Amino acid sequence: MTHLLSDYIPIVGEDVINQLKQLSCPLSGKSIVHINSTRVGGGVAEILENMLMLMKELGLESHWEVIDAGENFFKITKKLHNSLQGWEQELPEDWYQTYLEVNQANAERLKDLLENADMVFIHDPQPLPLIQFFPNRKGKWVWRCHIDLSRPVRSVWKNLKGLISQYDASIFSLLSFAQPLEQPMYIIPPSIDPLSEKNIPLADEELERSRQRFGLKTGVPLLVQVSRFDRFKDPLGVVKAYQLVKKYRPVQLVLAGGGATDDPEAEQVLEELKADSQNDPDIHILDLAPESDRTINALQRLADIVLQKSLKEGFGLTVTEALWKGKPVIGGNVGGIKLQVINYHTGFLVDSPEGAALRIRYLLNEKALAKEMGRKGQKFVKENFLITRHVRDYLTLIAGLIKGGGCRLQLD
Amino acid sequence: MPEPFKIMDCSLVPISLGISAQNLREFREHLTRIPLESLYSHFYENLLRFSFDDPEFRNDFAQWAKRALHDPVLAERLGVLDPYDYPGLEELRNALIEIIDDRLYETRYIPWARPGEEFYFLTSQTVVFDTGIIANTPKELARLFPRLSSSSVYYHFIEARRRLGAKQDDFSNWLKDFGDKYDALIKSLGEVEYYFLSLTELKKELIKIFSAIARRNKKSKG
């Protein structure tokens, strides 16, 4: 579902929307192309869909194309993706050749559009080599890296660095995710859409239906963690924290995730979780289908406290979603969680299940403080991590690169 | 009649310099080499970057000294620095290095940050644009003030000092064109302790000052 700029006015205020209109006015008619690897599923596709509609409404000629490739290519790029995040992977001997060939075929298919665009955004490693097939490109090309590139596997990095250095600029989500590169490295955090199914306000009746659907008790505090069944998200640590709290007071836990059907590791984690929860009826492990945005929205809204006890994390948009819903968050002291969870203000950062248990007990006891944290968290997200800020950042970057003029540019 | 006041606005995106420091000595070395723009970014432009609205110290250096190096003395010394107390950014750089050298001399060890708590130097891309809104009179500006974005307030009140020189801002400069009629207002604007305010707080403070115009107009009519 797409939304108009005016739909956001009641949420962010007219001044924010006016600012976008004023900033985009001198860029009217510029052609902007985004290339990524998928049109559905995943955070990047979700952000692109909404952002493109808003950019179009602001007068930019926006296009979104998806790289066309077979299963073998995506197997290779999945391994590249993991290697860039520091996980050693075994790549086939001819991986680089396949990687280039598929991109060359896509370059031929998209030649006119890409060669003449004023601005091209290439998202993540899959379409990265496209640039080298456009020696006569007219516009500026930017590589948008959505992953943590702070410690890439060196052998892979050596191959890809040459491709990245051909770009006019790159974008990273956090300062700590960037690698030293010659071109400007812009820092643009991701965002959530307050009007998406995952974030829109829900009626009390719908929340009640969700409570009943999952057999959740009324009047018993609810802890919720939403994330893949992945060791880096530490779901076993969350169960341990819950068990430590339960010694002192009644409490219930929801661990909502997905991916267990096609990921062998997730399946194993799920098995361990079931063993650890010892048939406790107050632990609800939900393996949700990918299209469960509204269910996740309801669970986050039903929670008293949201947990994101990750051991390694990217930006952590589930934290952003929870804060937006006015929930205090207890999060692992890693990655982008550290930017969003501010001790005693929007929640607590913890380094162990024991730490999480202590903070859960504290917040369940200090209801007024928990409420105040929720209020602060929502304000924090409103000012910093909604899609309108994301659009503004892109417009600023586009203006800076297209118009030139160095670090400080005055638009006419 | 002076020219109308053109309300401008600005937007910025941080740019990583690809340089980070793990300890105070490394930090000092980088400080001697980073572009001067970066100093300004860490002192003032952080008001426009995403951050929690209630930091203990206003500049990034002092915040890092407290949060990551756990050195409250250094944090306080860095936190009190105001770039506009110096003729230029090069002098500010020298003052920073002096403070750090003093601290390195006083302490028996080099303060370190844990992995993940490094200091990342940055600069920014700033774009200034016209909002298309003008105020013909101070009374009109006072009326428009609540509608100004925080970044617009930043541009006219804080960034202006960089363009016009310390202790000057766009509002006061414009008001001076009306002779001595608004001297009291200009004096009040000059007394704002902007360095300790978030942009939301600064905007509130300026709205309060500007509302004096409306009050005065009412009185004179009465």
Side-chain angles (χ1 to χ4, degrees), chain A residues 201-220 222 252 294-295 297-303:
Chain A
L202 300 176
D204 288 347
E205 298 76 39
E206 186 169 351
L207 295 184
E208 195 44 46
R209 277 199 301 276
S210 291
R211 192 192 293 277
Q212 286 174 14
R213 178 182 160 200
F214 296 114
L216 303 172
K217 293 172 183 162
T218 44
V220 177
L222 176 64
Q252 47 188 347
R294 217 172 162 99
T295 307
N297 185 347
L299 289 169
Q300 287 168 328
R301 287 183 190 278
L302 285 168

Side-chain angles (χ1 to χ4, degrees), chain A residues 152-167:
Chain A
V153 172
R154 277 202 45 80
S155 55
V156 171
W157 176 242
K158 274 195 279 185
N159 275 297
L160 298 197
K161 194 178 175 187
L163 294 171
I164 297 167
S165 64
Q166 295 176 44
Y167 283 79

Side-chain angles (χ1 to χ4, degrees), chain B residues 36-115:
Chain B
L36 290 171
E37 287 292 322
S38 175
L39 285 186
Y40 187 80
S41 230
H42 287 295
F43 266 91
Y44 276 115
E45 288 178 340
N46 55 3
L47 284 168
L48 292 177
R49 290 200 304 267
F50 65 91
S51 68
F52 192 70
D53 210 11
D54 202 13
E56 192 176 352
F57 298 104
R58 281 281 157 218
N59 73 67
D60 295 341
F61 301 146
Q63 282 181 41
W64 183 66
K66 180 75 186 284
R67 194 197 65 242
L69 298 181
H70 305 290
D71 187 338
V73 175
L74 179 63
E76 286 168 10
R77 288 177 189 171
L78 293 172
V80 81
L81 280 182
D82 182 343
Y84 295 125
D85 284 346
Y86 299 87
L89 290 169
E90 195 58 66
E91 288 80 3
L92 173 67
R93 188 205 306 263
N94 293 336
L96 279 166
I97 292 170
E98 193 63 29
I99 289 171
I100 292 166
D101 281 346
D102 279 349
R103 193 64 188 147
L104 283 167
Y105 177 75
E106 286 167 9
T107 51
R108 285 161 193 262
Y109 65 95
I110 298 169
W112 279 77
R114 285 196 320 179

Side-chain angles (χ1 to χ4, degrees), chain A residues 12-20 22, chain B residues 147-150 203:
Chain A
V12 296
E14 199 166 7
D15 57 330
V16 170
I17 302 303
N18 284 341
Q19 205 182 33
L20 297 181
Q22 291 148 7
Chain B
R147 282 173 51 196
L148 262 57
S149 68
S150 296
K203 185 176 162 183

Side-chain angles (χ1 to χ4, degrees), chain B residues 1-14:
Chain B
M1 184 78 171
E3 290 279 301
F5 188 90
K6 260 172 87 171
I7 296 173
M8 305 294 285
D9 203 341
C10 66
S11 172
L12 75 79
V13 185

Side-chain angles (χ1 to χ4, degrees), chain A residues 323-341:
Chain A
L323 293 176
W324 177 241
K325 291 167 185 112
K327 304 296 170 181
V329 176
I330 296 176
N333 193 8
V334 291
I337 300 176
K338 289 195 288 186
L339 282 183
Q340 302 182 72
V341 177

